[in-house]
Structure formats: structure tokens, C-alpha cells
Amino acid sequence: MHLPDLKEARKRTKEKVIEKKVEYTFPNVFVGKKYFLRTYGCQMNMHDSEEIRNYLELLGFTETLVLEESDLVVLNTCAIRENAHDKVFGYLGRCKHLKREKPDLLIAVGGCMSQEESVILEIKEKHPYVDIVFGTHNISDLPRLILENKKKQEIEVYSIEGDVYEGIEYSRDSKITAWVNIMYGCDKFCTYCIVPYTRGKQRSRKLEAIVSEVEELKQKGYKEVTLLGQNVNAYGKDLTFVYDFKDLLECVAKTGMERIRFVTSHPWDFTEEMIDTIATYENIMPYIHLPLQSGSDKVLKQMGRRYTKREYLTLFQKIKERIPNVSITTDIIVGFPNETESDFLDTLDVVNTCQFDSAFTFIYSPREGTPASLIEDTIPMEEKEERLQRLNQLVNQYSLENNKRLEGKVVPVLVLGENSKDKNKIYGYTDTMKLININGSKDLIGKIVNVEITDAKSFSLDGVVAKESVGN
Ligand code: SF4
């Protein structure tokens, strides 16, 4: 296992992807045993955990939320930032103590971190009590690795991405909303990002397979699907067929699924036709997460993002003009190597122009093996932290202002569950993906209802059920 170099990885983006079916032929020999599954990172990882959970339950395990009760621990890890790495190794320390008390405990580590050579070496040398290491390309091997484990460390991680699997079964977190993978990996190679190395080249699923998964979810009563990919707008570019993300959106919208979302978009691949399709179909939600990363052309170039500040703003404007009532959120990295104050002011300028509904903001964290990690950085951490504070202040101000404008309005909300802090309240998400707490009955869970917004904060809304409801 090794991290492929840039040239080698790019060359592989031209290779053909093979489609395979997952086989579910293993015995349920672990009846009475418990598993504890901990997931780090993005929606893609959470969805992978739904696949992992299904395998474990077919093997006979039942889930426990208490680590100490478990017979099997699975950590599904994330590699995107250094602190995610520290958290996983910190948690492995707890597992090590538990294994001293329960020598039969099985410990498995999977996900993006286990695709990194340095992590594998660290596990081999310093964490011999870890029994199984599996990667993002061979999740379906986990049942076999568990069944065959002889209480010695087994590392099975493929450096070359796997095939596109069809017929994967999931033990989903929700009976109301579902994630649907439309593609795997990414070909963009932004210079700071580890994803093309840990998740491999872009492999799109066939349109028919995605549509039939959505139809099946609709039949089962799901109200919302989120189409998942590292760069959904590039969907189909790796296939020889003549369809793209716009076509996929259109076909998914025609299934009649009540709510359709997608994440994550890349400004580079976002076409005008895609904007028009989103605007045309009422069941495609008016919400777009459009990562900016930086407002400085110099930094954007160094990041390999392939758009300029002006191009981003033009796209932003088109989306705002053509999709009624759209909300747009973003990701911003502060303190990319050698980012000057003037570069940072360019970022603030974009934030002031776009007035995003919200933004995920981060201090740049170098990831070993990426080109950006080789750039010598002269900006002190205190300066980066101070910039992050200034940015967050501005972002929160606009989030609050945008939310305040909704007070007194009636919006459609998909109710997802009971509020964990106040049992008299329920919560859900507006069509524009804003979290809302509602005074209302639990009978509304799973339904789309009209809610009048009574109060707005930076990160959530409060509301009451309006007289008439939509949906069922
Ligand atoms: S588009 Fe996203 S996932 Fe792909 S390399 Fe860039 S940041 Fe990483």
C-alpha cells in the first residue's frame, strides 16, 4: 500500500471502471455479540458506516452505543484534517485499555485514514492490539476479515481504488431521509486535499442504478434523498455515456421523490443547464453548498481550484438570480501557506458580497502526501487564528441577518424527530436546509408541514406549525 504520486493517479483517471455486485453470503455466527461503531468526518463516511452496520448485523452482531459493552469496535476514520487523526489515535487508547480487560475484543480501523501509508506504519508499530485494518476501497471485505481473524493483525488496504459496487445494502440511520452515492472518488486534485488519494479516481455510478435506488427508497416511504459525491457537478464525466449531472437531477426529480438534495458542488463544473434544472423542478431543494475556499486569485491558483474570484462571484450571482429563494452555504480555508493580509481581505470581500447563509470555516491543516504540504509557510499560527475569528464574526453576522429576514414567514419543513433537549418540541429542516425547532406534535415526524418562523438565531430557527400543512 502506498500513496500514488500525482502523475500516476491522474493517469489512472482514464482507466475503465468495472462494475461489480456485492455478495451477501456470510453466516450470522455472532448472534449475542455486540458491536460499537464510531464514525468520523463527512456524509460520505456516515453513509459508508451504514454499509458497515448492515454487514455487522448480517453477521449476527447487534449495536451498542456503550464502548465497554462491545465485542467488536469499528472506527470509520477521516483524514481531512490533522485533528481528526489525533482524535482517532486518542480513541484507540481507550480501546487498548478495554482490550486489557476483554482480551477477545476485536478492534477494526477503516475509512480514509487507513488509506495513508504513514497511518498503517503507525498502527503496525505502535498499536499491535488493532486486529483489522481495511480501506475505503474494500469495505465489503470487512465481514470476511472478521470471520477469518486469528487474533493477529490483518491489514488489507488497496492502494488502487476498487470497482463500482452495485446492489449494496445499507442499515440506514433514518427512515425519512437517505443518502445515495452517485459517484466515488475525485479527479480534481486540489493541492491541499487528500481525498483523491484516499478515495481514488472519480467513478460514477450508472444513471439507471441511481434512479432505481431512489425509486426503491420512495416506495419504502423515504421523503428526502441527498445525492452524494465529492464533486457532484462532475458526475458522468468519467463515463462514456452522454449524460451528466443535469440529466441525473432531471431523472431523479421525475421519480417524484418529495425532496432532493445534493452535495458537494465544485464551482468549476457547475453549468448554467444545471442551474436551470434545479430551478425547474420543485422537488429539487433550493439549497446549494458551493465551496469558495479563498477569495484571493493567487491563493485559489495555489490551491488548484481552477476558478477565479470573479468567476465564483459570477456563478454565485447566476444561481441567486435564477433559483428563487435559494440559500447558499460555503467552505472557507484560512491561512493557506503564505496567505497575506491582502489575500485574506479578498476572502472577506467575497463574504461581504455573497452574504452566505452559513459557512464552514477552517484553519489550513497540511496533509502528508499532498503538494500543498511541501510549501514552506511563513504565516504564524496566531495570525491565522486571528483571521479565523474575524472571518467567523462576519459569517455569523450574515447568517443571523439572513435568518432574521425569515421571521414571520411560513416555510415548508420536513420534520425529522424529537428535540433532544426539549421533549415538547420537534425539529426538522426547511427547504433551504435551515435547522428549525418547532412547537408541535410528534405525530408530525416524517411529514412535510408548513411552519411559521417565530424567532431566528445564527444557527437555527424557532417556529410553530402553520394552520394548513403541505405534503403528508
Ligand atoms: S474537489 Fe473537493 S474532494 Fe476533490 S480534490 Fe478538491 S477539495 Fe478534494
Side-chain angles (χ1 to χ4, degrees):
M1 151 69 208
H2 67 286
L3 279 179
D5 71 22
L6 208 56
K7 254 199 201 148
E8 191 190 317
R10 279 197 170 127
K11 227 189 301 156
R12 285 192 289 102
T13 63
K14 307 283 179 235
E15 288 168 14
K16 196 170 177 297
V17 170
I18 300 164
E19 193 180 295
K20 274 193 181 165
K21 284 254 181 258
V22 178
E23 302 291 340
Y24 291 92
T25 50
F26 31 83
N28 64 341
V29 289
F30 292 99
V31 175
K33 302 279 183 194
K34 291 184 175 169
Y35 74 92
F36 177 88
L37 172 60
R38 193 172 170 89
T39 309
Y40 300 80
C42 64
Q43 292 101 326
M44 195 69 77
N45 257 22
M46 290 194 239
H47 192 34
D48 284 349
S49 280
E50 292 181 330
E51 181 183 349
I52 292 170
R53 183 178 291 125
N54 187 57
Y55 293 131
L56 301 183
E57 288 170 4
L58 289 174
L59 284 171
F61 287 100
T62 48
E63 185 166 21
T64 173
L65 302 178
V66 182
L67 173 70
E68 287 69 23
E69 285 181 354
S70 62
D71 302 289
L72 164 69
V73 179
V74 181
L75 302 186
N76 187 13
T77 65
C78 164
I80 215 96
R81 268 173 281 281
E82 190 63 32
N83 67 354
H85 171 279
D86 297 344
K87 278 187 199 163
V88 170
F89 280 104
Y91 207 82
L92 272 179
R94 265 184 81 179
C95 300
K96 181 182 175 184
H97 287 299
L98 186 61
K99 193 153 180 161
R100 279 203 197 113
E101 292 161 24
K102 293 174 89 170
D104 285 340
L105 177 74
L106 269 182
I107 301 174
V109 177
C112 288
M113 251 176 69
S114 57
Q115 290 293 141
E116 293 182 84
E117 191 174 17
S118 59
V119 169
I120 292 185
L121 288 177
E122 193 171 347
I123 290 178
K124 266 188 186 166
E125 284 166 14
K126 298 188 189 154
H127 305 274
Y129 56 89
V130 172
D131 301 286
I132 295 165
V133 182
F134 64 105
T136 54
H137 306 313
N138 64 328
I139 297 173
S140 57
D141 285 333
L142 182 61
R144 179 179 54 75
L145 292 167
I146 292 170
L147 284 164
E148 290 174 0
N149 192 270
K150 307 264 184 318
K151 302 301 290 172
K152 71 174 188 46
Q153 197 169 71
E154 291 288 345
I155 296 180
E156 208 168 300
V157 176
Y158 307 154
S159 61
I160 303 286
E161 53 281 321
D163 312 308
V164 167
Y165 282 93
E166 286 303 343
I168 299 177
E169 294 168 13
Y170 299 95
S171 176
R172 295 185 186 266
D173 289 335
S174 167
K175 301 233 172 309
I176 306 167
T177 62
W179 288 303
V180 174
N181 274 333
I182 64 166
M183 63 211 288
Y184 303 93
C186 180
D187 289 347
K188 285 289 174 282
F189 291 96
C190 300
T191 60
Y192 54 85
C193 184
I194 193 89
V195 167
Y197 308 99
T198 59
R199 295 253 169 200
K201 70 181 181 186
Q202 176 176 314
R203 291 101 68 210
S204 299
R205 287 179 69 198
K206 280 189 192 152
L207 188 143
E208 300 86 325
I210 298 165
V211 170
S212 79
E213 187 176 338
V214 174
E215 278 168 346
E216 201 180 307
L217 287 164
K218 185 171 180 278
Q219 270 170 16
K220 285 181 178 163
Y222 280 84
K223 292 281 162 44
E224 179 178 297
V225 291
T226 301
L227 308 178
L228 271 188
Q230 303 293 348
N231 171 11
V232 290
N233 310 82
Y235 169 79
K237 282 191 163 183
D238 53 304
L239 297 173
T240 42
F241 311 95
V242 282
Y243 48 68
D244 65 8
F245 186 55
K246 153 188 66 71
D247 303 312
L248 176 68
L249 273 179
E250 203 158 358
C251 291
V252 173
K254 284 179 179 161
T255 63
M257 175 58 73
E258 293 201 45
R259 285 185 159 200
I260 297 152
R261 301 188 187 279
F262 52 90
V263 73
T264 293
S265 293
H266 190 304
W268 185 28
D269 292 304
F270 217 126
T271 63
E272 304 215 6
E273 290 80 8
M274 287 174 199
I275 300 175
D276 291 337
T277 305
I278 297 163
T280 304
Y281 289 91
E282 276 188 8
N283 56 348
I284 303 179
M285 295 296 100
Y287 163 70
I288 293 168
H289 185 69
L290 192 68
L292 165 68
Q293 308 305 12
S294 171
S296 153
D297 286 345
K298 181 198 91 188
V299 175
L300 285 171
K301 195 159 184 212
Q302 287 172 345
M303 287 176 163
R305 292 291 290 175
R306 309 184 205 197
Y307 54 82
T308 61
K309 174 184 175 185
R310 178 176 291 277
E311 284 164 345
Y312 183 93
L313 288 173
T314 305
L315 174 65
F316 183 95
Q317 213 44 49
K318 277 184 191 156
I319 293 173
K320 278 278 178 189
E321 279 165 14
R322 295 199 206 166
I323 305 175
N325 187 34
V326 69
S327 92
I328 303 181
T329 59
T330 197
D331 293 332
I332 298 172
I333 297 172
V334 170
F336 191 75
N338 306 319
E339 177 197 66
T340 62
E341 177 64 15
S342 140
D343 294 324
F344 177 64
L345 289 177
D346 277 334
T347 299
L348 294 189
D349 187 44
V350 178
V351 173
N352 278 319
T353 308
C354 296
Q355 306 186 3
F356 296 106
D357 282 85
S358 80
F360 295 101
T361 58
F362 313 94
I363 290 183
Y364 167 74
S365 159
R367 305 308 297 131
E368 201 185 319
T370 60
S373 68
L374 304 173
I375 306 173
E376 211 173 306
D377 192 4
T378 54
I379 311 292
M381 185 48 87
E382 303 78 66
E383 206 169 320
K384 297 185 184 203
E385 284 167 354
E386 189 263 343
R387 283 180 194 164
L388 182 68
Q389 269 187 23
R390 282 157 66 198
L391 174 64
N392 284 345
Q393 222 170 9
L394 200 62
V395 162
N396 294 345
Q397 176 200 314
Y398 287 124
S399 296
L400 184 61
E401 282 175 19
N402 284 322
N403 285 352
K404 281 279 172 203
R405 275 195 275 276
L406 293 172
E407 280 180 356
K409 296 216 163 110
V410 174
V411 293
V413 173
L414 173 57
V415 181
L416 293 184
E418 214 175 68
N419 182 303
S420 58
K421 289 190 188 131
D422 183 346
K423 299 281 175 220
N424 295 318
K425 286 188 175 171
I426 48 180
Y427 79 94
Y429 283 87
T430 65
D431 51 348
T432 54
M433 198 60 187
K434 290 177 190 276
L435 173 64
I436 181 159
N437 292 303
I438 311 158
N439 278 323
S441 146
K442 272 178 260 171
D443 298 345
L444 297 175
I445 294 173
K447 295 183 175 165
I448 297 172
V449 291
N450 278 341
V451 175
E452 184 181 339
I453 295 164
T454 51
D455 192 19
K457 303 163 195 135
S458 290
F459 305 111
S460 67
L461 305 167
D462 288 332
V464 290
V465 179
K467 288 220 171 71
E468 82 292 2
S469 284
V470 289
N472 55 10

